[in-house]
């Protein structure tokens, strides 16, 4: 075989080698891209896991908990209403007599419930009152200048039992007055009553 007959065989072998090497590098390049794609998708996975706390409408569990806490501490919510203990006392305030600048008043509170009612006082003071002189705006309080024992005391009121307190105000000048009175147990402000009277 001469040199001219060997040349086509040499060219064919060379082309085959080039094609084989090219195919090898092409396959390696594709495998590398696939691994990178898997690596990128792997970094997204933690973010997808973080969305487990997202509920319908895009609201997170944290936001729901905060919303529940706001509702719980909202004074108008049902949960807050359950915490407010309404006192089953029916109170009344009346002027008994007015004589020569002296006024006698009576404050009563009746337990209208069918069960006993326990009142808790934080001091020895049982009631408070305010006397407003409408002429000059002066306010006089029962507790002014007084000291009370700092002691916790409970008082139980039976059904239909009535608590009664009388107050005597002396040396009042001529004019119009407004008198308010209430019991001082925890929540006792609910028993507050006000009455107006006139000294002539």
């Amino acid at each position: 075989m001469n040199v001219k007959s060997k040349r086509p065989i040499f060219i064919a072998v060379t082309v085959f080698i080039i094609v084989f090497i090219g195919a090898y590098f092409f396959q390696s390049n594709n495998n590398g891209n696939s691994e990178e794609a898997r690596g990128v998708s792997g970094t997204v996975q933690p973010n997808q896991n973080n969305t487990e706390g997202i509920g319908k409408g895009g609201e997170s569990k944290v936001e729901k908990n905060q919303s529940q806490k706001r509702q719980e501490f909202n004074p108008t919510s049902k949960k807050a209403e359950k915490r407010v203990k309404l006192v089953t006392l029916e109170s009344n305030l009346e002027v008994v007599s007015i004589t020569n600048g002296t006024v006698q008043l009576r404050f009563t509170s009746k337990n209208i419930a069918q069960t006993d009612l326990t009142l808790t006082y934080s001091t020895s003071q049982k009631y408070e009152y305010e006397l407003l002189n409408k002429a000059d705006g002066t306010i006089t309080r029962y507790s002014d200048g007084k000291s009370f024992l700092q002691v916790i005391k409970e008082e139980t009121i039976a059904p239909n039992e009535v608590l009664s307190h009388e107050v005597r105000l002396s040396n009042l000048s001529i004019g119009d007055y407004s008198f308010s009175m209430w019991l001082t147990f925890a929540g006792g402000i609910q028993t507050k009553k006000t009455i107006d009277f006139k000294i002539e």
Side-chain angles (χ1 to χ4, degrees):
M1 183 178 296
N2 55 27
V3 176
K4 291 182 179 181
S5 63
K6 292 181 178 180
R7 181 175 295 176
I9 297 174
F10 176 78
I11 293 174
V13 173
T14 303
V15 171
F16 175 80
I17 294 173
I18 292 173
V19 171
F20 177 80
I21 293 174
Y24 175 80
F25 280 106
F26 179 79
Q27 184 177 2
S28 298
N29 187 32
N30 287 340
N31 291 337
N33 291 336
S34 298
E35 292 176 356
E36 291 178 359
R38 287 194 297 269
V40 171
S41 63
T43 59
V44 176
Q45 187 67 27
N47 292 333
Q48 292 177 347
N49 291 338
N50 288 338
T51 61
E52 292 178 356
I54 305 298
K56 294 182 179 180
E59 184 181 12
S60 67
K61 292 181 180 179
V62 175
E63 291 173 346
K64 286 183 179 179
N65 291 337
Q66 292 176 347
S67 177
Q68 291 174 355
K69 289 181 180 180
R70 287 193 296 267
Q71 182 181 7
E72 182 176 353
F73 290 100
N74 183 355
T76 60
S77 68
K78 292 182 179 180
K79 290 183 179 181
E81 289 177 357
K82 291 181 180 179
R83 295 179 179 180
V84 177
K85 182 179 180 181
L86 297 178
V87 177
T88 57
L89 285 176
E90 185 178 73
S91 298
N92 183 57
L93 178 62
E94 61 178 339
V95 175
V96 178
S97 65
I98 300 178
T99 306
N100 298 326
T102 298
V103 180
Q104 188 81 18
L105 301 105
R106 180 183 295 117
F107 180 84
T108 59
S109 295
K110 179 181 179 180
N111 181 12
I112 59 175
Q114 300 301 316
T115 58
D116 289 351
L117 177 64
T118 300
L119 309 180
T120 303
Y121 297 86
S122 59
T123 70
S124 59
Q125 182 182 4
K126 290 297 186 68
Y127 62 84
E128 178 66 287
Y129 68 67
E130 291 180 345
L131 175 66
L132 169 64
N133 187 333
K134 295 184 178 181
D136 57 13
T138 302
I139 296 178
T140 303
R141 296 181 177 84
Y142 170 67
S143 58
D144 289 344
K146 294 182 176 64
S147 298
F148 301 96
L149 296 176
Q150 302 299 310
V151 58
I152 303 298
K153 185 177 181 180
E154 291 186 345
E155 183 177 13
T156 300
I157 312 300
N160 296 318
E161 183 178 352
V162 178
L163 297 179
S164 181
H165 299 280
E166 291 198 3
V167 175
R168 183 183 179 89
L169 305 174
S170 304
N171 300 321
L172 298 180
S173 58
I174 295 175
D176 294 323
Y177 294 85
S178 180
F179 181 84
S180 298
M181 187 170 177
W182 63 94
L183 299 179
T184 57
F185 63 88
I189 192 65
Q190 299 175 59
T191 64
K192 184 177 180 179
K193 293 294 180 180
T194 301
I195 193 171
D196 294 334
F197 62 86
K198 185 174 184 178
I199 301 296
E200 298 178 340

